[in-house]
Amino acid sequence: MNTTRRLLAAAAATMLACAPLATLAQDIKPRLIRFGYGLNEQSNQGRAVKVFADAVEKASGGKMKVRAIGAAALGPDTQMQQALIGGAQEMMVGSTATLVGITKEMALWDTPFLVNSVKEADAVLDGPIGQKVMAKLPEKGLVGLVYWENGFRNLTNSKHPVSKLEDLNGIKLRVMQNNVFLESFKTLGANAVPLPFSELFSALETGTVDGQENPFNTILSSKFYEVQKYLSVTNHVYSPWIVLVSKKWWDGLSKTEQKILQDAASASRDFERKDTRDEAGRALADLKAKGMQINELTPAESARMRDRLTRVNASIAANVGMDLWNETQAELTKIRGG
Ligand code: TK8
């Protein structure tokens, strides 16, 4: 081999070795991702969106930029979902409960007392059942990437402590825009009023509603303690959040870009769950310090509430489909080591 040929061969080898990198660079186009969410920037949701945004920018060499828009500035969950479906917005994170009108299987996550711990929640959401429910989204124009933790929900109100079922009688309680929540709280005797989260603080402040239910983190970050005196630890349901992408937009991305989003979503999920759990662990003391009066339910009252609430299970099962319901129960038995 003469020098020229050897050089040519070397150059060809180098080019071959570089080929994947070159394709990779071309595979990532400048992208602007409008990412909407409902809580404020200083919430567990806001912090995790930031982690997602940073991960996407880093992995794409700054080409893919995430514009995070919190505090429902792009509208409540239901409005953002429609914007994603239509392709007017790229991404969001929101409650699975507000998605039920689009994908009925999401109602599974509204089942009162479905899981007993965050460990069970992670196992069921990240396992085959969670994936199966998520797989129902694309036919509706949405792509689900990961579930985040919103958390176990607890009851607050401005009237009196709720320590037994009867205390809920006549309380005007804001619920998410979702039939399971509406039915659940009607069954408990409350006067349930569906409202978007973005209208909740002022509804509590003006007395349009007396109470609401959300995880400790949200009661803290949304400053509900300013307008709510009583907090009853009910843990009546575990709520997930879900990170969604517009399918219209997603389908135009390269495989590399899709992978960047999926990986960043997974990293944000791991961060978010840890951050949320750390904060939840401290939140009760913080809320007490802010002047909230907190009460636990006795085991007997807890059981009564649970019994009453699980009356809605039959209708959830019918809505999500008996097969999915039974598979979920079997999966939970497996997770619990049964
Ligand atoms: C925030 C909501 C909130 C949910 C609710 O956008 O509506 O009460 O718990 O987290 O998704």
Side-chain angles (χ1 to χ4, degrees), residues 232-301:
S232 307
V233 181
T234 48
N235 290 316
H236 50 272
V237 64
Y238 176 94
S239 275
W241 280 323
I242 185 166
V243 176
L244 297 171
V245 190
S246 159
K247 184 168 187 296
K248 236 182 191 171
W249 179 73
W250 175 261
D251 287 344
L253 299 178
S254 68
K255 288 277 169 284
T256 309
E257 291 166 329
Q258 290 181 350
K259 185 169 185 316
I260 287 172
L261 295 181
Q262 184 68 62
D263 289 349
S266 300
S268 71
R269 173 196 60 204
D270 296 346
F271 165 86
E272 195 271 348
R273 284 180 179 164
K274 185 174 184 313
D275 178 55
T276 298
R277 287 160 198 178
D278 287 351
E279 185 184 49
R282 297 186 305 265
L284 211 49
D286 289 353
L287 290 167
K288 204 176 265 172
K290 303 270 187 208
M292 287 197 96
Q293 191 177 313
I294 299 163
N295 74 283
E296 312 253 349
L297 266 59
T298 62
E301 280 306 323

Side-chain angles (χ1 to χ4, degrees), residues 38-39 45 77 94-95 150 153 174 176 197 213-214 218 241:
L39 299 193
Q45 204 175 44
D77 285 3
S95 186
N150 187 354
R153 303 179 80 88
R174 175 271 177 173
M176 290 189 280
F197 184 82
E213 40 86 56
N214 253 301
T218 301
W241 280 323

Side-chain angles (χ1 to χ4, degrees), residues 151-168:
F152 282 100
R153 303 179 80 88
N154 293 289
L155 207 69
T156 69
N157 83 95
S158 56
K159 293 285 178 199
H160 49 241
V162 173
S163 49
K164 56 179 188 309
L165 207 49
E166 290 71 20
D167 294 332
L168 270 165

Side-chain angles (χ1 to χ4, degrees), residues 75-144:
D77 285 3
T78 47
Q79 192 179 321
M80 291 197 285
Q81 290 154 11
Q82 293 306 326
L84 260 62
I85 291 170
Q89 182 183 329
E90 290 74 27
M91 290 187 72
M92 66 173 285
V93 62
S95 186
T96 53
T98 49
L99 257 181
V100 169
I102 295 171
T103 300
K104 62 180 180 6
E105 289 82 2
M106 288 285 163
L108 189 59
W109 312 129
D110 302 327
T111 308
F113 303 101
L114 181 71
V115 295
N116 297 320
S117 66
V118 292
K119 221 176 130 213
E120 286 183 13
D122 292 354
V124 99
L125 288 164
D126 300 343
I129 302 292
Q131 292 314 303
K132 195 169 204 169
V133 172
M134 222 183 237
K136 301 285 179 190
L137 289 168
E139 68 199 56
K140 308 289 181 172
L142 297 165
V143 175

Side-chain angles (χ1 to χ4, degrees), residues 51 71 102 129 132 186 227 285 327:
V51 166
I102 295 171
I129 302 292
K132 195 169 204 169
K186 277 189 180 162
V227 286
E327 276 172 50

